[in-house]
Structure formats: C-alpha cells, structure tokens
Amino acid sequence: MVYSQPNFKKVKEMAVIQKIRNRSGLLIAVIGGAMVLFVGSDLLNSNGQFFSRQEYNVGEINGTTITLKQFEQRVQDVVGDQSVGSNEMELYRNQTWNLFLQDYLIKTEYDALGVDIVDDELWDEIKNNRDGILSAYFTDRNTGQIYEAFRDERGGLNMQMAILQLKQLVKDEEAKKNWSVIERSIREQLMSGKYTGLLKRGLTATDFQATERSKNNNDQIVVSWAGMSYGQVKDEDISYSESDISAWYNKHKSEDQFQQDEDMRSAKVVVFDVVPSANDIQTAKNEMAALKDGFAKSENDTLFIIQNTDNQYSAFASYGRFELPLDIDSLVFNAEDGAVVGPYGQGLNFKISKKLGQEMRPDSVSARQILLLANSPDADTAALRVRMDSIKTAIENGADFAEMAGKYSADLGSSRNGGDLGWFVERQPGYEPEFIQAAFGAKTGDLYVVRSRRLGYHLVEIQDQTQAREKVILATVERTVQASEETLDRIYNEASNFAITNSNLDAFNAGLEGDAVLNSKANEHTSIRKGAKVLGNLENPRQIIRWVYDNELGSVSTDPFESENQIVIVAVTGVTSKGTLPLEEVRDQVEEEVKKELKAEWIKNKIGSNTDLDAVVSSTGGRKEQNIAVTFNSFSIKGIGNEPAVLGTAFGLEQGQTSDPIAGNGGVYVIRVDSKTPNQNSADVEQLKNQIAGDYARRVDAEVFEALKEKGNVVDNRSDYY
C-alpha cells in the first residue's frame, strides 16, 4: 500500500509526539545546569535490595528525613516509562537527590530573598533554546537526530514547530504531569542563576585589598641564599625514640592533616580468573569445524555470518600475501572460490573463512560520504533511499558534494569537512562492514550508494586509492571461546573453598603466602570511601564495597563475588573511623616529620651563628644562589622551590639584612636581601578591585552550595543502598 505524503506525515508526527510526552526524566538529566554541583557519592544499581531495607533512610536535609521508599518513588517519577541502563539510572538517582536538596535546602534561600521566575522568563528561556533544552527534548535517543517532524532543512530544530508542540502539550490533560516536571526543572535552573547572580553582584573589594594586591604582584626584592636540604643529612646522624614519635603526634594530631571527615576502610582482594579450560577451547574448535559444511553450502553468506559470528566487523575483508597465518595463506590463495578453510586462529579465537574471490585491491582508500540515518524502528527507508538517490543525481548534475554533505549528512564528524573521511584501511575499526566492502571494491572516481545494516544509506565518492595488489577476498565466521558453566562452577568452588578454609584475616594472608600464583593476583586497597564506585580494575564493585562496610575488621567473604570474568574473595584489612586518625594509621608520616625536625636542628647546629652565606656553605657542605628577583606572589625561589616560610621571612627583612636559619619544607636556609624595589607605577585601584571581585564571583558557583549543604547538615546515605 502506498501512503499519500500528508497522511504519512501525520502518522509520523503522532508517533513522535507520543514518544516525547514521556521524556521529562531525560530532560531533567540534560538541563541539570548548576544543580550538578550537588551531586555527591557515585551510585550504581541496587541489585534488588531496596524493599528489604525500606525502614532505613537515604539521607537528611535541614532536619528532614528522606526514606528509601520516598527516594525510590521520586526516582520512578523522574524516569517515567523509559527503559534505562545502569549508567543512566545512576544519573537519574543523582538528579533525584538534587531535587530533594532543592526542596529542603535551597528553596528556603530563594524564599528568603524573594527569588522567583515569572512565565515570561520561562518562555524566553525555552524559545532561545539556551543550553540546547529544546533540542535535547526533541532528539531521538536512538539516532541522536532531531525527530523529522521537528527538523528544519539543515537538520536543526525547527523552533516554530517545537514551540507550537509544547504549547499543545500544556493543554493536553495527559501531558500535564510531564510538563509540570519539565517546567519546574527549567524554573529551578533559572532561579539558581538568579540566586548566584545576586551573590556575585554583592561581592566587592576594598581599596586596601587592591593596594595590597598591587604591592604583592609588583614590589620586587633581590635575594641571595645559602642552605642545606634534609636529604643531605643521613638518618644515622640523628636519633629518636618511640616517645619522640608519640610526643610529636600528640602535639600535632588536631591539625587538618590528621583529621578525616568520613569513615574509611581497607581491603585485600584476591581474584580467581574465569578462563576457558582446554576442554572449552577444544569444544569451541569442534563447533567451528561443524559449521564448515553449512557455510560452504550457504547461499546467503551475510545471513550465515550474522547468525554465527562473534565479530561482524571482520566478516568481509581482503588479505594480501602473508597477512594470514602461513598455513592458511597458502590454502586460500590456491583454493577455488567457495572453499571454506579452518578452523584457524590462536589463543581464544577461532575462525573459518570462505573464499569469495581473488582480485587486485588497494591497501588504503580516500573517500568522502553523505550519510542518511535509517537505524530507528520507525525510519521510512524507502523515502530515505529516494532522498539519497536525488542527492546523488544532483551531484552527478554538477552540485557541490561538500556543500551537500554539510547540508544533509548525519555524519557530523565528516560533514563539517565536506564529508571527507580521509584515508582508511580495509579493517578500519568502527567502519561498517558493508561500507568497507563496497569502498575497496570500487575505483577512484566512483560515486555510489550503499546501505549499511546498522546506520543507513551512505553516498560515497572514492577520491583516491593506493596501488592495487593481489588479494584474496574472504567471508569469515569468528568465535571467541567462553568458559563453560562447568568451568565457571569449578573456579567458583575453588574460590569458595579458599574463603571457607581461610575465614579470618590471619588465615587469609597465610593462605595467600602459601600459593604464589594466587598471591600474585591479590591487591591491597587502602582508603576506600563508602560511596566509591572504583576498586582497582574490578567491574561494578559497588556490591563488594558495600560488603566491606557492612563487615568488621578481619572478616573474609566466604560467599564469593562474581565480577565479569572473575570470582572475587575480599578480606577487610583496615577500619578507620571519622575524626582524628590514630597514630598507627599515620605512623610513617609522623616519623618523617620527626626526622625532618631533628635534621633541621642538626643543620642549624652546623650553621651556628654564621650569617655570611659562604660560611654557611662551608660549615654545612650545602649550596648557595645569588641575585634572585622575586615578588611576594612568586610561586617559588630559584634553587629551593616552594618555600613560603623563606619567602615570607625575606619580605620582612630590610635591604642588606640577613635572616637567621629558617627551617623550610625541604631544608634549612639563610637568606639575604640584596635590594628592594617598590613598584614605581601607580596602581589602577578600580581595575584591581574589579579583578578581586571577579575572583570572588568565580568561586560562587563551586562554593556557595557546599556552604549551604554544610549549614543544612546534609547527610547522604545513598551509598548504603546503591
């Protein structure tokens, strides 16, 4: 049946409208704007553990408790009817938490200041499509292209059609709920901008601050120094006891460097790799051998490959002499067309190949293309083919290929360059097999249309080729060997037996020491955060991290974890609570500080009362540098690096004055001020005040919401569940 264009267009529009009615969740994710600043701990899927733990709380904001049930319900409201993967669900949970922060934390600030958005501001934001709000809303997620019903002639968004559709949605009772979510998200983004704008405009600088900045940037002194680094003092030259370490720790333990603002855990992870057994490999090889007869008799090689291969991208390719394994090379070049060879390969991959022919082909091709996507379920492939044929005809009649590519091609990467793809080889990663097969069978100057199964229609012009050489053309079925259920069960049981036999930390470590192979696969992970989503190279380790936090020091996971092609056993090796870190956790750091102080005293004793720089060098065996120009804002001093104490002391000295020995970060130094040169140019105070105010304003977006969260006593427990 042939549909008239008006009716077909109406059916398409109605299908698109129905799709975008349920897009509120996606839109919220796109227009998060400043709200992204609130995203806290990283999240992953819950593995179905929610409803057994609904009595617990996800968090608390400004004294308001958020239950797991409340949180999950709101996540569902945001997601709607969409089918989403784990990464998208992580984004939606973050966005949902931001909505709770908006309700219970930020809205109170808006109300106090009278911040609001009127309807005219809302529609102005929508009409101007700032941050791509409308484009995101009317974009098909499967193709990355704007729905055809709302697309202009250049592939962009037809603003008139989009605004008209949104106004219709507002009147649609069925769409009101989704629209209210969208409207709220846009309003909140605008209010966030207003709020931070108010704060930024309220930040000013004083004349004194401007004058000080000018002095620090421009007043210059020239210094010379002499000194000795701590690394030049041998550990044998100093002595200390355990009581010295304890005394230093007790004196400094309240400092920030020894404070921890959250609980931390450490764990040792041992991995049992799930690899195919010799029997699995032989079974796979036998299965491939069993396919040879069917492949040889197949009249549709493409369909046969699709049904049987693990790698469609290497399905059709040509090979020159000695590009294949030697035994296969001689077979295929001497075989008749239609012959199937194999199985061949190495490691965990086996192939069988059918010879399709033998001809002269280039190694590389230079081409350009125009792409029309036809990969969505509702794509009108017949209409797209007609459009592509009309583009081809226009080019054949003199239209500029580059101009047509810029106007019509969905390949955004190449369309900006007139469709130019540059040079590529036959087994180029990421290129469609149908595209490659046609390109390397064509000649320079050829202009043709080819349909790729995954993308759509390609109009290709071959611009250049390398010199052709003899090649054999093969259709290949490839199989990657996988571990069988029997192998998986065996390895799982090995891991389980190890954990049960070594069910406490001492036994666990002893078991590893007694197995060199297993011990080489064990890794110690320190300072694991409760909300972390990365643990070494493990895939999706959230379940493992939650287990580490749910168990005590010394616990061993007697129930193994499965992670991709690995079975994992975990032991909790350290528990560090929030607050002051205990001495045993920071002993190495404290000991280094004790040694540094003792070495500083040793160097000072060597220097004695000397103030002459040459005498300092002579007494310590250190070094000196002369005539170094610095300002107060200098990052470092030549020869000694970043030493704030030395720099600050220098600016407190008079010209010609020499300092006492200064214990710095890397050594002990004596510094002399050779000259002082105040800035002779008068400072532009107003300009400097504007610069300082601008510096303050740039910090607002990143810091104000963190301050609000601290003020609101925000407690985020999401990592307990995700």
Side-chain angles (χ1 to χ4, degrees):
M1 179 181 293
V2 178
Y3 292 89
S4 65
Q5 183 62 24
N7 286 339
F8 175 75
K9 183 177 181 182
K10 185 66 176 176
V11 170
K12 294 269 285 181
E13 286 182 359
M14 292 303 295
V16 171
I17 290 168
Q18 186 60 42
K19 285 183 179 181
I20 66 175
R21 279 177 174 168
N22 297 320
R23 298 291 302 285
S24 59
L26 180 62
L27 186 62
I28 292 172
V30 173
I31 66 171
M35 296 291 288
V36 173
L37 294 167
F38 294 118
V39 175
S41 302
D42 292 305
L43 312 176
L44 288 173
N45 279 335
S46 63
N47 297 320
Q49 297 181 11
F50 293 103
F51 298 105
S52 63
R53 305 178 70 176
Q54 282 188 3
E55 67 274 25
Y56 297 107
N57 300 326
V58 169
E60 186 176 309
I61 304 171
N62 252 342
T64 300
T65 298
I66 302 164
T67 68
L68 182 59
K69 185 176 182 180
Q70 287 175 306
F71 186 76
E72 278 298 295
Q73 182 58 57
R74 197 157 185 181
V75 170
Q76 188 57 50
D77 291 342
V78 172
V79 174
D81 297 329
Q82 301 176 82
S83 176
V84 298
S86 61
N87 289 335
E88 288 179 296
M89 183 59 76
E90 176 185 352
L91 175 63
Y92 287 130
R93 291 195 185 112
N94 283 335
Q95 293 293 337
T96 300
W97 179 251
N98 293 341
L99 292 176
F100 278 108
L101 287 168
Q102 182 78 23
D103 287 345
Y104 301 133
L105 183 69
I106 306 169
K107 192 173 184 298
T108 58
E109 296 292 315
Y110 295 165
D111 292 343
L113 294 171
V115 176
D116 200 2
I117 300 298
V118 298
D119 289 345
D120 287 345
E121 290 176 292
L122 175 72
W123 282 102
D124 179 66
E125 179 76 8
I126 293 172
K127 289 175 183 178
N128 284 284
N129 196 24
R130 296 187 181 96
D131 299 322
I133 292 174
L134 284 191
S135 296
Y137 188 55
F138 287 96
T139 295
D140 187 337
R141 287 194 302 157
N142 295 319
T143 65
Q145 302 296 306
I146 292 171
Y147 290 110
E148 186 175 357
F150 302 97
R151 195 184 305 161
D152 62 23
E153 67 275 5
R154 295 186 62 83
L157 181 65
N158 185 318
M159 293 298 298
Q160 185 176 0
M161 289 292 296
I163 295 295
L164 180 63
Q165 180 56 41
L166 284 180
K167 290 184 175 180
Q168 291 298 318
L169 283 176
V170 176
K171 300 175 183 178
D172 187 340
E173 290 294 330
E174 191 177 320
K176 274 187 177 180
K177 181 180 179 182
N178 283 342
W179 172 251
S180 66
V181 176
I182 298 165
E183 179 181 348
R184 172 180 168 167
S185 299
I186 299 174
R187 285 183 185 276
E188 287 171 353
Q189 182 184 10
L190 290 172
M191 285 194 291
S192 175
K194 272 192 177 182
Y195 175 64
T196 56
L198 285 171
L199 295 176
K200 291 173 183 178
R201 284 191 290 274
L203 295 170
T204 60
T206 65
D207 290 352
F208 175 77
Q209 288 174 301
T211 303
E212 285 300 300
R213 172 170 288 197
S214 178
K215 288 175 60 179
N216 293 340
N217 285 338
N218 299 299
D219 287 4
Q220 188 181 83
I221 62 175
V222 175
V223 300
S224 298
W225 64 265
M228 182 179 188
S229 71
Y230 299 133
Q232 292 176 272
V233 182
K234 298 178 181 179
D235 287 353
E236 300 83 60
D237 292 334
I238 59 173
S239 63
Y240 56 92
S241 65
E242 186 65 30
S243 62
D244 294 322
I245 293 175
S246 297
W248 195 98
Y249 169 77
N250 290 329
K251 181 180 178 181
H252 297 274
K253 65 182 180 182
S254 61
E255 296 174 2
D256 288 345
Q257 61 179 320
F258 300 117
Q259 300 303 307
Q260 186 167 281
D261 59 4
E262 61 180 307
D263 293 344
M264 290 284 191
R265 297 286 174 111
S266 298
K268 183 173 284 188
V269 174
V270 61
V271 172
F272 292 75
D273 292 313
V274 179
V275 296
S277 65
N279 187 56
D280 295 335
I281 295 173
Q282 188 60 50
T283 298
K285 188 175 182 179
N286 293 341
E287 290 174 353
M288 291 294 283
L291 291 173
K292 288 180 66 174
D293 186 55
F295 196 16
K297 295 177 180 178
S298 172
E299 296 181 359
N300 188 331
D301 294 329
T302 300
L303 180 60
F304 187 90
I305 289 171
I306 290 172
Q307 292 173 339
N308 293 285
T309 194
D310 290 337
N311 183 5
Q312 295 181 20
Y313 287 94
S314 64
F316 295 95
S318 65
Y319 299 85
R321 284 285 187 179
F322 311 116
E323 291 182 359
L324 293 163
L326 290 178
D327 53 340
I328 299 300
D329 182 271
S330 59
L331 281 176
V332 295
F333 272 93
N334 293 304
E336 296 181 355
D337 291 354
V340 178
V341 298
Y344 65 94
Q346 59 185 14
L348 299 179
N349 289 289
F350 288 109
K351 302 177 183 180
I352 55 173
S353 296
K354 176 189 282 190
K355 182 176 180 179
L356 302 181
Q358 199 163 320
E359 61 183 43
M360 303 296 286
R361 280 200 176 195
D363 289 327
S364 301
V365 169
S366 174
R368 54 183 177 177
Q369 75 158 346
I370 296 171
L371 172 65
L372 297 182
L373 290 173
N375 57 355
S376 63
D378 56 349
D380 184 356
T381 55
L384 286 171
R385 180 60 200 247
V386 170
R387 181 189 295 181
M388 184 63 91
D389 286 341
S390 68
I391 294 173
K392 179 174 182 288
T393 300
I395 292 173
E396 289 173 334
N397 290 333
D400 184 76
F401 191 107
E403 183 179 335
M404 300 292 273
K407 186 174 183 180
Y408 295 110
S409 182
D411 180 8
L412 300 181
S414 67
S415 64
R416 299 186 183 96
N417 300 315
D420 186 23
L421 298 171
W423 287 90
F424 52 91
V425 295
E426 190 164 354
R427 291 183 288 282
Q428 186 87 17
Y431 279 54
E432 300 304 302
E434 299 89 351
F435 171 89
I436 288 290
Q437 187 179 10
F440 281 82
K443 305 299 182 185
T444 299
D446 284 356
L447 180 70
Y448 60 88
V449 176
V450 61
R451 167 74 191 271
S452 67
R453 187 174 58 86
R454 194 174 68 92
L455 291 182
Y457 291 101
H458 307 253
L459 175 61
V460 184
E461 182 183 57
I462 305 299
Q463 296 183 289
D464 201 359
Q465 297 177 328
T466 57
Q467 185 174 355
R469 62 190 181 99
E470 185 181 30
K471 294 192 176 185
V472 61
I473 305 166
L474 300 181
T476 300
V477 176
E478 184 174 339
R479 181 68 50 84
T480 300
V481 184
Q482 302 290 339
S484 63
E485 287 294 327
E486 180 182 358
T487 298
L488 177 60
D489 289 345
R490 174 179 56 79
I491 297 172
Y492 185 94
N493 289 334
E494 287 177 7
S496 181
N497 289 336
F498 176 85
I500 293 171
T501 303
N502 304 287
S503 58
N504 61 65
L505 186 56
D506 289 338
F508 182 85
N509 287 328
L512 289 176
E513 290 174 5
D515 189 326
V517 174
L518 204 56
N519 196 34
S520 67
K521 298 178 181 179
N523 288 292
E524 180 90 23
H525 300 280
T526 59
S527 301
I528 303 171
R529 296 181 181 275
K530 192 174 186 179
K533 70 173 184 179
V534 176
L535 192 63
N537 295 322
L538 296 179
E539 295 285 339
N540 301 325
R542 284 296 307 146
Q543 186 181 9
I544 295 173
I545 293 171
R546 287 199 300 273
W547 181 91
V548 169
Y549 269 85
D550 286 341
N551 288 272
E552 298 176 353
L553 177 65
S555 299
V556 175
S557 59
T558 52
D559 291 328
F561 295 96
E562 295 185 41
S563 176
E564 293 298 317
N565 293 321
Q566 296 175 325
I567 306 297
V568 180
I569 303 296
V570 187
V572 182
T573 58
V575 175
T576 307
S577 300
K578 176 181 178 180
T580 302
L581 294 168
L583 176 57
E584 56 268 20
E585 291 285 335
V586 294
R587 179 183 173 81
D588 290 345
Q589 180 182 348
V590 170
E591 189 170 358
E592 284 303 312
E593 293 296 334
V594 170
K595 289 162 64 174
K596 183 191 291 187
E597 286 191 359
L598 292 171
K599 289 182 177 182
E601 289 302 316
W602 188 92
I603 297 171
K604 286 181 179 181
N605 289 333
K606 285 287 186 180
I607 295 174
S609 59
N610 289 319
T611 57
D612 179 77
L613 300 188
D614 290 327
V616 171
V617 173
S618 177
S619 62
T620 62
R623 53 177 294 207
K624 75 172 183 177
E625 291 281 351
Q626 300 186 83
N627 300 320
I628 304 167
V630 293
T631 67
F632 190 77
N633 285 340
S634 295
F635 178 75
S636 65
I637 301 173
K638 180 183 177 183
I640 58 177
N642 185 18
E643 287 286 3
V646 178
L647 188 63
T649 300
F651 272 86
L653 299 175
E654 297 298 328
Q655 182 169 314
Q657 189 176 1
T658 303
S659 72
D660 293 329
I662 307 163
N665 294 325
V668 175
Y669 308 98
V670 173
I671 193 161
R672 183 185 67 217
V673 176
D674 298 323
S675 66
K676 302 184 78 168
T677 309
N679 180 34
Q680 300 301 317
N681 299 320
S682 59
D684 187 333
V685 174
E686 289 304 315
Q687 182 180 10
L688 288 170
K689 285 167 66 175
N690 290 334
Q691 288 178 1
I692 296 169
D695 292 341
Y696 290 155
R698 281 186 285 276
R699 294 169 55 186
V700 167
D701 290 332
E703 296 182 15
V704 67
F705 294 119
E706 291 302 319
L708 287 176
K709 286 163 67 177
E710 184 177 349
K711 175 186 173 184
N713 296 315
V714 175
V715 178
D716 184 355
N717 296 327
R718 289 176 293 163
S719 58
D720 288 343
Y721 310 99
Y722 307 108

